[in-house]
Amino acid sequence: MNELLIEGLSAMLIGMGTVLSFLCLMIISMFIMSKVVRKLNEIFPEAIPQAAGGGKSKVAAKSDDSEIAAAIVAAMFRK
């Protein structure tokens, strides 16, 4: 019985050690990869896509919002 218990504990320790070492390796590799990607983003920044018709100005967007709000209020009070 004593031998079986020792074999079970050794198998448990080997398995848990393997999982722990894999998780540590994965955390370290993710940390290094984030540093590499950050540097690559500084070297090769992404282009900002432009809309075909050009973007709306903030003034036009605010007036659109107020028109939408007015339409909602009018629809709520409609009998």
Side-chain angles (χ1 to χ4, degrees), residues 17-57:
T18 302
V19 169
L20 180 67
S21 62
F22 172 75
L23 289 176
C24 289
L25 182 66
M26 187 175 67
I27 289 170
I28 291 169
S29 64
M30 289 174 64
F31 182 74
I32 292 171
M33 195 61 154
S34 70
K35 296 284 186 183
V36 169
V37 169
R38 192 173 301 140
K39 280 292 185 189
L40 285 175
N41 280 337
E42 288 176 6
I43 295 171
F44 304 109
E46 287 187 28
I48 300 173
Q50 296 291 330
K56 291 183 178 179
S57 67

Side-chain angles (χ1 to χ4, degrees), residues 6-21:
I6 292 174
E7 286 181 23
L9 286 174
S10 65
M12 181 187 71
L13 289 175
I14 290 172
M16 291 178 73
T18 302
V19 169
L20 180 67
S21 62

